[in-house]
Amino acid sequence: TAMAAIDYLAKHGSDEVAVAFYGGEPLLRFDLIKECITYAQKVLCDKKVTYSFTTNCTLMTKEKAEYFASIDGISIMCSIDGPKKIHDEHRKDIHGKGTFDRAIQGLRNLVEAFRGRPMNRLAINGVFCPPYTVEKAQEIYSFFQQLEWLPKDVGIQFEPVREGSLHIGENDTK
């Protein structure tokens, strides 16, 4: 299916096309992503191609990060919600364990691999969950500002959780 989509882009796409990888966690199929990029580089060689995906960074090894840093036109959105206690509140693995330590290491792997390359190819997108307080927002902002290894030109954005997508307990406030 992925190769057929790339073939379609080759036949029907404009001079500039985008290949985006979606899923719960695209890095679960890193092998397929690599195969698609290799195929796209061959089939779409006469077009300007950009690649993108969003990852929770838990599977982002140094080797994967170095591979992605070598790809021209790639953008990676990293889902990290802030410091450990805030991130781990809602981002847990299948065993119920928080994912912060693996996610932040994955982000660090990306930053190290992208050194010397444009950092605007990396961005952080967090979900701001209740309770919504100024103090919580300041804690998240301060956390990212204090990461000495995170370049200042890495984009950081936060969006409130979508209504109805998170169970809010009676002790939480809106």
Side-chain angles (χ1 to χ4, degrees), residues 54-173:
T54 299
T55 177
N56 61 29
C57 291
T58 60
L59 300 175
M60 186 61 71
T61 63
K62 287 182 181 184
E63 295 76 24
K64 289 175 186 169
E66 288 169 8
Y67 169 76
F68 291 123
S70 75
I71 304 299
D72 288 333
I74 197 161
S75 298
I76 303 171
M77 180 71 73
C78 304
S79 298
I80 299 179
D81 293 344
K84 185 176 179 74
K85 74 175 185 174
I86 292 173
H87 178 90
D88 282 351
E89 186 175 353
H90 298 289
R91 295 200 186 254
K92 300 181 185 318
D93 63 19
I94 61 171
H95 305 290
K97 184 178 178 194
T99 61
F100 175 83
D101 293 333
R102 289 174 283 155
I104 205 72
Q105 182 59 55
L107 175 61
R108 191 169 191 150
N109 290 342
L110 280 169
V111 167
E112 289 172 8
F114 274 78
R115 287 268 185 241
R117 295 177 177 92
M119 282 296 168
N120 64 353
R121 294 167 52 189
L122 298 178
I124 297 169
N125 183 58
V127 178
F128 191 52
C129 296
Y132 301 115
T133 65
V134 170
E135 293 79 19
K136 186 176 183 181
Q138 289 172 333
E139 183 178 358
I140 293 167
Y141 176 78
S142 293
F143 167 75
F144 285 109
Q145 294 301 309
Q146 292 172 11
L147 292 177
E148 296 156 3
W149 50 266
L150 185 66
K152 300 302 178 209
D153 56 345
V154 170
I156 301 173
Q157 65 184 33
F158 276 81
E159 297 180 27
V161 69
R162 286 189 310 253
E163 188 172 333
S165 66
L166 177 70
H167 172 72
I168 299 175
E170 50 188 75
N171 293 332
D172 294 329
T173 59

Side-chain angles (χ1 to χ4, degrees), residues 18-70:
V19 176
F21 301 96
Y22 291 96
E25 174 50 52
L27 290 181
L28 286 170
R29 291 298 313 272
F30 175 65
D31 59 330
L32 180 60
I33 292 173
K34 277 181 69 172
E35 188 178 338
C36 289
I37 290 173
T38 299
Y39 186 69
Q41 288 171 331
K42 182 171 40 168
V43 173
L44 303 172
C45 61
D46 61 335
K47 300 182 184 299
K48 180 180 179 190
V49 184
T50 58
Y51 305 92
S52 65
F53 67 94
T54 299
T55 177
N56 61 29
C57 291
T58 60
L59 300 175
M60 186 61 71
T61 63
K62 287 182 181 184
E63 295 76 24
K64 289 175 186 169
E66 288 169 8
Y67 169 76
F68 291 123
S70 75

